[in-house]
């Protein structure tokens, strides 16, 4: 766990986000506050269109708030240029998008190598080739898809693709995983296996997980549940 005085890994402070301009402006987030610390597994629940993906995109520095501030590791991010934002993403964050983002012309293993290549290109310390092979095998077997390493995404089921994308999100050992509905294509059993594994990573390696999901089973695995409605965050439960 985090030292009590360490800053949160992620902080949203009075975040507002609107889309559109003038009379057609639609406010999606209306003053959202949320801190996420190492080892926390935060589930973000909320109806379709409530702004869950919007919030994850802001935490991932993929979009900017209309008002308010996103801090990463205690540091404000508003003034950063695109290069600095990209370095922060590569160094600290793992992403799992709502819609499949595997590169179709590359094998599962090659897809896992992409974030490592990007980190290397940015001069960020990351896995060497040998370590990559071992880590990739370990992560893929964690999600039960090691035997699929050399397949193309088109040769996988939807659920297998999701688990491959999840493996890729973890390969650079991020301190925070931003996961948008990662179990949407999984049956109940496999969804719970993914939740369980992420909970274990949170407990054992202090990974912070922020997961948007509609899956009710999350309640048993998340350490904290918040709900998003009418542009506001409400704490639902904390189990520790
Ligand atoms: N780039 C955009 N431009 C305009 N409106 C947008 C944009 N992105 C999202 N929205 C709108 O903002 C609202 C929130 O979208 P968001 O994707 O965050 O919802 P969500 O909670 O993730 O929903 P779901 O559960 O369906 O994934 C929606 O009404 C959506 O249409
Ligand atoms: Mg969404």
């Amino acid at each position: 766990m985090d030292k009590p005085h360490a800053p949160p890994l992620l902080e949203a402070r009075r975040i507002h986000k609107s889309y559109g301009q003038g009379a057609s402006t639609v406010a999606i987030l209306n003053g959202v506050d949320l801190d996420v610390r190492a080892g926390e597994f935060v589930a973000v629940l909320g109806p379709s269109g409530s702004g869950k993906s919007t919030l994850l995109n802001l935490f991932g520095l993929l979009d900017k708030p209309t008002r308010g501030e996103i801090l990463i590791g205690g540091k404000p991010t508003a003034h950063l240029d695109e290069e600095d934002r990209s370095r922060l993403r590569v160094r600290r964050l793992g992403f799992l998008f709502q819609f499949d983002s595997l590169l179709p012309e590359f094998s599962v293993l090659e897809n896992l190598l992409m974030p490592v290549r990007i980190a290397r290109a940015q001069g960020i310390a990351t896995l060497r080739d040998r370590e990559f092979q071992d880590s990739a095998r370990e992560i893929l077997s964690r999600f039960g898809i090691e035997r699929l390493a050399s397949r193309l995404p088109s040769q996988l089921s939807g659920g297998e693709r999701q688990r491959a994308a999840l493996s890729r999100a973890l390969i650079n050992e991020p301190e925070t995983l931003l996961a948008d509905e990662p179990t949407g294509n999984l049956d109940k059993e496999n969804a719970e296996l993914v939740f369980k594994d992420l909970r274990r990573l949170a407990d054992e390696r202090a990974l912070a997980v922020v997961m948007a999901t509609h899956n009710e089973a999350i309640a048993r695995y998340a350490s904290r549940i918040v709900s998003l409605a009418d542009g506001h965050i409400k704490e639902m439960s904390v189990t520790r």
Side-chain angles (χ1 to χ4, degrees), residues 19 28 47-54 98 214:
Y19 292 113
I28 306 298
S48 183
S50 58
K52 302 180 297 297
S53 297
T54 299
Q98 186 166 12
H214 294 281

Side-chain angles (χ1 to χ4, degrees), residues 31 34 38 56 70 82 88 92 106 168 185 212 232:
L34 185 64
L56 289 189
I70 297 286
E82 199 36 60
L88 266 181
R92 292 175 171 259
F106 294 96
R168 185 181 58 178
N185 286 320
H232 295 281

